[in-house]
């Protein structure tokens, strides 16, 4: 055990060190470490990110639309998580000078042809939003809430909108071609430097006009002019999107001092949703689950204590022969299950998942994986999954040896390959669909190669190392001997039918997480931030408890009914919560999302299928180990003649 603890400690230390180095290498993406000071007149470069839509879930690069661009478009360095999310951060023509307001700056003039007009109309139809970044802060549109005296923030601004002219029923397309930026800063009175703490925009659609000949950016507009202090304040004369129309892109920028300190600048972004509903829902859910868990634990302790006391008081062979309940199957309860190799593989994969999620949450609670670190969460999860292969190989090999297996290399290989192969197959199909849509969400070949290297170059060898260490350990000894001839299982009551008990068993674990699941799905599919990792960790702990207890209870009832085939059923009992997760995801799709495109629907259900499969492996493993511990405990507590 000392060697195993040493291996585990070194693996976790190495993973943490690597992640810290990775974050340090991309200091632009970790604003919690190095704030940037700006003096008056310093250049501020606005970067553009992907176009996003909650209706299609297909991101596109900013310059996939014929927006004005610099002579040379430069990509910012993106980490693995950002590439997988479809982020493409590039430079732009929007350049400010710190604390120097600008009015009606002309970016460029664009004449639409049939194709560009069609592209803009399609993106307006699908409600695409433009995302920009300044000093690592995403651009937001402030919206006043009518029901409450507060402001909420919408990430990015819409490409345009649809509407009708007064007195006309024909629907027209209008583009947001004038952006009124507001940069909020917190000033240091001693050094005169300032730090950016807010980046907001109000988009307008304006049909700009000018007199005389167009002379690029030197042309003076009549619709907005800094010389006459004429600013754009509304969209009363909007810019229509039609073939042969000229569109002039302009922007204003004003700078506002703010009392918000740099360390708190993300608070406005992270407090977008209605906090009260979130808090009360989670607390209510946790109270119910804790109450049920307490009752289950109390019943189990009282019942088991009575049973074990009664069995240990049996004195004669005649009395022993008259015994009923779970002790009757002591000679069969540890008989290896059907298809034990597959069970070992799934248990090992579940241990890998458990370790990945546990360590990821630790990093998240410590603040390493805040939403300001774009792609950090996904990068950390991928790297931790790779390193947790060591634990997967160990767990599967230990269980395999207990089942009298001898070919540990075969089990190690299946553990390293099976789950990733299934997920990769689904992912490859989904990625092909995204490629077909020419979306930036498609994973490039270079990134695919990196993922394959992480899998076969690091994860697979670590699984084999773990398998080797686990197989060299002494086999786990069963507390009772197994009979040579299997005992016949009596006919079971309808409520002890395997399918019924398995489906019932998944309800409670799902009930522990479904409220939090709503917020997680919202953050993923509706482009909102999720940063309540403390609550998520608490829910994860409750999930572990409920998975363990519901499996133990149903396993106890099963053994009392003289049915000793508990191995697979214990895994499936808590694992069936994944079925409810997928059903809830289906309900969420039809009630909360407005996805209309076939490809987008396939993407949604494909990714939710992967998530549900992963949830099945995780919860199934928790239930299995709980039942494994429970059966060994009770059968080692009674006298077996």
């Amino acid at each position: 055990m000392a060697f195993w603890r040493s291996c585990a400690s070194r693996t976790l230390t190495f993973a943490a060190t690597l992640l810290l180095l990775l974050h340090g290498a991309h200091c632009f993406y970790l604003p919690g470490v190095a704030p940037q000071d700006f003096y008056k007149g310093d250049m501020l470069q606005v970067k553009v990110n992907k176009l996003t839509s909650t209706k299609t879930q297909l991101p596109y690069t900013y310059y996939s639309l014929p927006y004005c661009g610099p002579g040379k478009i430069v990509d910012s360095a993106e980490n693995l998580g950002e590439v997988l999310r479809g982020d493409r951060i590039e430079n732009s023509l929007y350049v400010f000078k710190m604390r120097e307001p600008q009015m009606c700056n002309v970016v460029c003039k664009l004449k639409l042809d049939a194709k560009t007009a069609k592209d803009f109309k399609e993106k307006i139809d699908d409600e695409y939003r433009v995302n920009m970044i300044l000093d690592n802060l995403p651009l937001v549109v402030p919206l006043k809430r009518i029901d409450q005296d507060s402001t909420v923030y919408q990430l990015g601004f819409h490409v345009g909108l649809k509407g009708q002219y007064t007195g006309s029923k024909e629907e027209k397309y209008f583009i947001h071609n004038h952006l009124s930026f507001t940069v909020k800063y917190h000033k240091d009175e001693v050094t005169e430097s300032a730090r950016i703490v807010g980046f907001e925009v109000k988009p307008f659609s304006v049909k700009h006009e000018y007199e005389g000949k167009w002379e690029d950016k030197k042309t003076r507009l009549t619709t907005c002019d800094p010389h006459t202090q004429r600013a754009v304040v509304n969209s009363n004369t909007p810019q229509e999107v039609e073939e042969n129309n000229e569109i002039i892109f302009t922007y204003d920028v004003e700078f506002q001092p703010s009392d918000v300190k740099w360390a708190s600048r993300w608070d406005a972004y992270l407090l977008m949703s209605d906090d009260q509903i979130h808090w009360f829902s989670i607390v209510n859910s946790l109270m119910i689950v804790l109450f049920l868990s307490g009752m289950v634990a109390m019943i189990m302790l009282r019942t088991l204590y009575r049973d074990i006391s009664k069995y240990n008081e049996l004195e004669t062979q005649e009395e022993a022969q008259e015994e009923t309940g779970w002790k009757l199957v002591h000679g069969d309860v540890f008989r290896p299950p059907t298809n034990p190799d597959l069970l070992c593989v799934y248990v090992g994969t579940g241990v890998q998942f458990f370790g990945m999620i546990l360590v990821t949450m630790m990093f998240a609670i410590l603040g390493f994986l805040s939403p300001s670190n774009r792609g950090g969460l996904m990068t950390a999860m991928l790297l931790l999954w790779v390193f947790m292969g060591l634990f997967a190989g160990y767990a599967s090999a230990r269980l395999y040896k207990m089942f009298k297996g001898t070919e540990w290399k075969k089990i190690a290989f299946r553990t390293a390959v099976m789950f990733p192969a299934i997920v990769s197959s689904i992912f490859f199909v989904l990625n092909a669909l995204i490629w077909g849509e020419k979306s930036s969400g498609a994973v490039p070949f270079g990134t695919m190669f990196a993922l394959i290297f992480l899998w076969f170059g690091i994860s697979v060898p670590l699984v084999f190392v773990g398998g080797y260490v686990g197989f060299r350990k002494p086999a786990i000894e069963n507390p009772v001997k197994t009979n040579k001839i299997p005992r016949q299982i009596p006919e079971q009551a309808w409520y002890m039918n395997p399918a019924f008990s398995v489906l019932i068993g998944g309800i409670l674990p799902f009930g522990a997480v479904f409220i939090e699941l709503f917020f997680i799905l919202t953050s993923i599919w509706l482009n909102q931030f999720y940063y309540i990792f403390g609550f998520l960790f608490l829910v994860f702990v409750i999930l572990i408890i409920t998975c363990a207890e519901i499996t133990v209870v149903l396993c106890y009832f099963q053994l009392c009914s003289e049915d000793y085939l508990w191995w697979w059923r214990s895994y499936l009992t808590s694992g069936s919560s994944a079925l409810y997760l997928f059903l809830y995801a289906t309900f969420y799709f039809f009630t909360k999302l407005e996805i209309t495109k076939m490809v987008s629907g396939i993407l949604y259900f494909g990714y939710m299928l992967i998530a549900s499969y992963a949830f099945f492996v995780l919860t199934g493993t928790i239930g299995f180990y709980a039942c494994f511990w429970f059966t060994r405990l009770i059968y080692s507590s009674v006298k077996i003649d």
Side-chain angles (χ1 to χ4, degrees), residues 111-416:
K111 186 171 183 178
L112 299 180
D113 56 24
K115 183 182 181 303
T116 53
K118 180 173 176 286
D119 289 343
F120 273 120
K121 285 180 179 180
E122 285 178 351
K123 294 296 185 287
I124 293 170
D125 256 332
D126 290 330
E127 298 178 9
Y128 270 87
R129 293 179 187 172
V130 179
N131 294 282
M132 295 182 176
I133 301 167
L134 178 64
D135 190 36
N136 203 33
L137 271 181
L139 180 67
V140 293
V141 178
L143 301 171
K144 286 285 184 184
R145 295 183 66 162
I146 300 172
D147 56 332
Q148 300 177 15
D149 187 21
S150 62
T151 302
V152 293
Y153 295 96
Q154 171 189 282
L155 276 174
F157 63 91
H158 285 105
V159 172
L161 48 91
K162 292 189 290 184
Q164 300 164 342
Y165 288 114
T166 306
S168 172
K169 293 184 178 180
E170 186 181 0
E171 196 167 53
K172 298 287 186 179
Y173 292 82
F174 304 102
I175 189 171
H176 285 136
N177 60 323
H178 180 85
L179 303 177
S180 183
F181 293 106
T182 301
V183 178
K184 295 182 178 180
Y185 64 91
H186 183 79
K187 187 179 176 183
D188 188 327
E189 298 298 336
V190 178
T191 63
E192 290 295 313
S193 65
R195 293 176 179 175
I196 295 171
V197 296
F199 186 34
E200 300 174 1
V201 70
K202 290 182 181 177
F204 298 99
S205 180
V206 182
K207 187 176 181 180
H208 283 304
E209 296 176 354
Y210 58 93
E211 295 177 352
K213 188 179 178 182
W214 177 262
E215 296 180 7
D216 202 22
K217 297 183 181 181
K218 297 178 181 178
T219 307
R220 287 180 62 173
L221 305 177
T222 57
T223 41
C224 73
D225 189 353
H227 299 89
T228 60
Q229 294 297 305
R230 182 173 182 180
V232 175
V233 293
N234 57 51
S235 299
N236 290 342
T237 55
Q239 175 62 60
E240 193 176 330
V241 178
E242 285 297 342
E243 186 179 353
N244 297 322
N245 278 10
E246 284 187 348
I247 300 176
I248 299 172
F249 290 91
T250 56
Y251 70 91
D252 302 331
V253 59
E254 67 168 318
F255 291 85
Q256 287 183 2
S258 172
D259 294 329
V260 176
K261 292 187 177 180
W262 187 88
S264 306
R265 66 179 188 164
W266 275 87
D267 290 358
Y269 296 83
L270 303 179
L271 300 175
M272 283 194 227
S273 56
D274 194 332
D275 285 347
Q276 286 189 328
I277 294 174
H278 192 87
W279 279 72
F280 284 127
S281 298
I282 292 179
V283 170
N284 183 49
S285 175
L286 292 179
M287 291 300 291
I288 292 171
V289 171
L290 285 171
F291 175 72
L292 290 172
S293 300
M295 288 195 63
V296 165
M298 190 167 60
I299 292 168
M300 291 304 302
L301 287 172
R302 290 185 62 184
T303 307
L304 276 175
Y305 180 77
R306 189 183 65 226
D307 282 355
I308 291 170
S309 299
K310 186 179 74 174
Y311 288 143
N312 286 337
E313 286 171 3
L314 294 175
E315 295 179 358
T316 65
Q317 188 68 25
E318 290 76 16
E319 286 177 313
Q321 288 175 355
E322 292 173 6
E323 67 192 22
T324 58
W326 53 268
K327 192 183 176 188
L328 271 177
V329 294
H330 66 81
D332 297 276
V333 73
F334 293 106
R335 189 179 301 282
T338 56
N339 209 341
D341 292 8
L342 186 63
L343 181 64
C344 295
V345 170
Y346 268 107
V347 168
T349 305
V351 169
Q352 191 173 4
F353 252 111
F354 183 83
M356 177 196 76
I357 291 174
L358 188 65
V359 179
T360 301
M361 285 193 184
M362 294 299 181
F363 276 117
I365 290 170
L366 292 172
F368 286 106
L369 305 175
S370 72
S372 58
N373 181 20
R374 279 179 305 278
L377 182 63
M378 193 172 290
T379 304
M381 290 179 75
L382 279 170
L383 289 175
L384 286 170
W385 165 265
V386 167
F387 291 121
M388 290 298 159
L390 189 70
F391 297 86
Y394 181 86
S396 59
R398 289 282 282 160
L399 193 60
Y400 180 67
K401 190 170 184 179
M402 193 188 79
F403 290 147
K404 312 299 182 188
T406 55
E407 300 177 1
W408 69 270
K409 292 179 183 177
K410 181 182 74 173
I411 289 299
F413 179 76
R414 289 179 66 182
T415 304

Side-chain angles (χ1 to χ4, degrees), residues 452-558:
I452 291 170
F453 172 75
L454 286 173
W455 179 10
F456 286 102
I458 302 176
S459 181
V460 172
L462 283 176
V463 173
F464 271 89
V465 170
Y468 173 75
V469 174
F471 198 75
R472 287 197 63 184
K473 291 280 182 180
I476 300 170
E477 295 292 334
N478 294 324
V480 291
K481 292 181 180 179
T482 301
N483 297 334
K484 292 183 179 180
I485 302 173
R487 178 188 178 88
Q488 186 175 358
I489 299 172
E491 187 176 348
Q492 300 293 302
W494 66 270
Y495 51 84
M496 290 307 298
N497 180 277
F500 181 79
S501 63
V502 161
L503 289 174
I504 290 296
I507 293 175
L508 193 59
F510 172 74
V513 299
F514 88 97
I515 300 255
E516 200 67 17
L517 184 64
F518 169 81
F519 293 99
I520 293 171
L521 289 178
T522 300
S523 71
I524 294 172
W525 300 108
L526 294 180
N527 293 331
Q528 294 183 14
F529 287 116
Y530 183 89
Y531 192 54
I532 313 180
F533 290 111
F535 270 120
L536 187 60
F537 181 73
L538 191 58
V539 170
F540 182 60
V541 171
I542 296 299
L543 175 67
I544 295 169
I545 295 170
T546 49
C547 282
E549 289 189 342
I550 194 67
T551 308
V552 164
V553 169
L554 293 177
C555 181
Y556 174 72
F557 291 152
Q558 179 186 348

Side-chain angles (χ1 to χ4, degrees), residues 7-28:
C7 285
S9 175
R10 287 172 188 167
T11 303
L12 288 175
T13 305
F14 181 60
T17 306
L18 188 68
L19 279 170
L20 286 170
L21 287 173
L22 183 70
H23 287 306
H26 295 278
C27 57
F28 175 79

